[in-house]
Amino acid sequence: MSARSEPGGYDLVVRSRRAVLPDGPRPAAVCVRAGRIAAIEEYDAIGGHDLGEVTLLPGLVDTHVHVNEPGRTEWEGFASATRAALAGGVTTIVDMPLNSLPPTVTVDALAVKRAAATGQIHVDVGFWGGAVPGNAGDLPRLHAAGVFGFKAFLIDSGVPEFPPLDPAGLAEALEAVDALYVVHAEDPTEVADPPASRRYSDFLSSRPPAAERRAVGAVVDVARRTGGRVHILHLSAADALPLLAQARAAGVRVSAETCPHYLTLAADEVPDGATEFKCCPPIRGSGNRERLWAGLAAGLVDCVVSDHSPCTPALKCGDTGDFAAAWGGIASVQLGLPVVWTAARRRGHPLTDVVRWMATSPAALVGLRRKGRIAVGCDADLVAFDPEAPFTVDPAALHHRHPTTPYAGQVLTGVVRATWLRGVPVTPGGPPQGRLLDRSGE
């Protein structure tokens, strides 16, 4: 498409009778100039690319993605992870500081990560830094270099080069620089070593809700004492929701996220040996799942993000089905939108809720003011989404490096029909058009 080829002198005009705007869905024409939304007109006021009844969404923002490159690129990589994101309507990701080698715990390591991503990303990509024992002095420099905040574990991370912090170490990190700290909150004193077993229940019992509840309490206490800003990652245990409510009422700067798998899967439905369902913290029972939905509806949970955490098939131990030995992580960045939408609509949630949880709120969490909304001045990251179209999940159709998924064979609703990144039409099979982002959004 040549510049200024659309009506009104715009680079692009996309019209939809169901555009999801900040003030609600309505017919609209979204007009783009120089990569940003320049105007939003009435649907019939101007010509352009007409979606008709297909819904127009802002591109999703996934702030919890493990790309693993460099160092463990055989698990995933920037090219494959961002192709999968693009196929799922995600136009911005923020990459976690592990499981790459080196982990992103110094400015030099961040430079290595950015160099690895350059030239092969299909969506816009930002980076988290890591807070680990002994690197508090590096955190101000990393923050100045543009990371969106810092990831910390209170429990073993699964890789030796990214050790956990205790509450005192977390407090030291929060006092090193005023930034956003995102925390894997499980208390190791409440976690047991699971026995070798093909039964999911044996693994589940080793990581009880008390592990999350106690760790969330510890994180909240550190934030209260330091005045720091914290975010609870991948909340699985609904038992922790009252702690979040109390902390917010007391003025503590705390937010939380959950993930598609915690909102849609249930422990009693996991077959023996199906290690593709293993993640940490674990998928819990159906009653817990419904309480998470209630927390999301009440605003106690702010975001829904993927925690895309892939590995090689061998590390999933599919041959033995041993939950104790298998890597804990679910690769789902491509499927998050239809997974969440399918479950949300059954519970009476409109698509505007899904957009808030998966686009607007994650963008706000990390300060990306031009992402996650269809509004004048925002980047023209747009997704044509058919919310009524069903499809069956075929692992062979996924763009992740390895086609391992707990959603195989599920019938979901909602298909991405087209995507624009800053006003440019993009497809997973096309050339990489993504940009590297820092906290400025540039």
Side-chain angles (χ1 to χ4, degrees):
M1 180 181 296
S2 62
R4 304 297 187 264
S5 63
E6 295 283 71
Y10 296 111
D11 301 333
L12 173 72
V13 177
V14 183
R15 304 164 67 230
S16 170
R17 296 187 183 279
R18 294 195 286 182
V20 179
L21 307 179
D23 59 353
R26 64 175 173 86
V30 178
C31 308
V32 178
R33 185 179 291 126
R36 296 192 189 176
I37 298 171
I40 299 175
E41 304 284 358
E42 296 299 320
Y43 175 79
D44 293 324
I46 190 170
H49 187 98
D50 188 13
L51 300 179
E53 297 297 326
V54 173
T55 300
L56 186 65
L57 307 179
L60 302 191
V61 177
D62 192 338
T63 53
H64 196 149
V65 177
H66 293 268
V67 174
N68 306 331
E69 185 177 4
R72 292 188 175 95
T73 311
E74 71 274 13
W75 293 19
E76 186 65 283
F78 283 106
S80 53
T82 58
R83 276 196 301 267
L86 181 58
V90 177
T91 53
T92 302
I93 67 169
V94 185
D95 173 53
M96 283 292 170
L98 72 164
N99 304 302
S100 56
L101 295 168
T104 315
V105 295
T106 65
V107 171
D108 288 345
L110 175 64
V112 171
K113 181 74 72 80
R114 291 174 67 91
T118 298
Q120 60 170 334
I121 52 176
H122 293 263
V123 302
D124 288 355
V125 176
F127 301 96
W128 294 105
V132 296
N135 85 325
D138 293 287
L139 302 185
R141 291 187 292 273
L142 264 172
H143 200 239
V147 298
F148 286 86
F150 300 99
K151 167 75 174 286
F153 279 78
L154 296 188
I155 194 170
D156 180 70
S157 72
V159 291
E161 69 277 359
F162 203 97
L165 296 173
D166 59 18
L170 180 62
E172 182 185 13
L174 265 67
E175 291 170 339
V177 60
D178 185 14
L180 172 62
Y181 289 81
V182 299
V183 185
H184 182 128
E186 287 182 283
D187 188 317
T189 66
E190 296 283 353
V191 172
D193 291 329
S197 175
R198 290 173 51 83
R199 294 187 305 178
Y200 181 74
S201 59
D202 290 333
F203 164 67
L204 177 61
S205 63
S206 73
R207 298 182 96 102
E212 285 187 82
R213 188 174 63 248
R214 285 192 59 171
V216 168
V219 173
V220 165
D221 182 61
V222 169
R224 181 184 293 110
R225 289 188 286 108
T226 63
R229 182 182 173 208
V230 295
H231 177 78
I232 304 300
L233 295 171
H234 45 49
L235 183 69
S236 160
D239 285 0
L241 291 171
L243 293 175
L244 294 173
Q246 293 162 12
R248 288 183 177 180
V252 178
R253 296 197 293 168
V254 60
S255 54
E257 68 186 37
T258 193
C259 304
H261 37 281
Y262 301 130
L263 292 170
T264 62
L265 304 176
D268 54 1
E269 299 169 359
V270 178
D272 287 351
T275 55
E276 62 269 25
F277 287 81
K278 181 182 176 180
C279 57
C280 299
I283 295 161
R284 304 192 187 277
S286 56
N288 178 86
R289 177 184 65 195
E290 298 312 310
R291 291 167 62 204
L292 284 178
W293 275 105
L296 189 60
L300 293 176
V301 179
D302 304 83
C303 311
V304 179
V305 292
S306 68
D307 189 11
H308 179 75
S309 186
C311 66
T312 61
L315 288 174
K316 269 299 186 185
C317 300
D319 54 340
T320 65
D322 181 2
F323 279 99
W327 175 259
I330 289 175
S332 64
V333 68
Q334 183 171 338
L335 295 173
L337 175 56
V339 165
V340 173
W341 169 234
T342 300
R345 70 190 307 218
R346 290 175 183 161
R347 292 167 173 82
H349 290 285
L351 199 48
T352 50
D353 284 350
V354 176
V355 167
R356 183 175 71 256
W357 300 329
M358 303 188 76
T360 310
S361 290
L365 174 74
V366 296
L368 285 171
R369 296 178 298 276
R370 298 206 310 266
K371 301 292 188 182
R373 298 176 296 134
I374 299 178
V376 172
C378 288
D379 290 346
D381 300 342
L382 305 170
V383 174
F385 182 66
D386 188 343
E388 309 298 331
F391 73 100
T392 301
V393 176
D394 176 7
L398 299 177
H399 291 272
H400 312 151
R401 186 175 294 279
H402 303 292
T404 302
T405 173
Y407 302 107
Q410 284 198 19
V411 178
L412 302 177
T413 303
V415 173
V416 172
R417 299 296 188 192
T419 305
W420 294 263
L421 184 63
R422 292 181 307 280
V424 176
V426 286
T427 65
Q433 300 284 339
R435 295 180 183 175
L436 297 178
L437 302 175
D438 60 28
R439 283 186 297 110
S440 71
E442 303 294 344

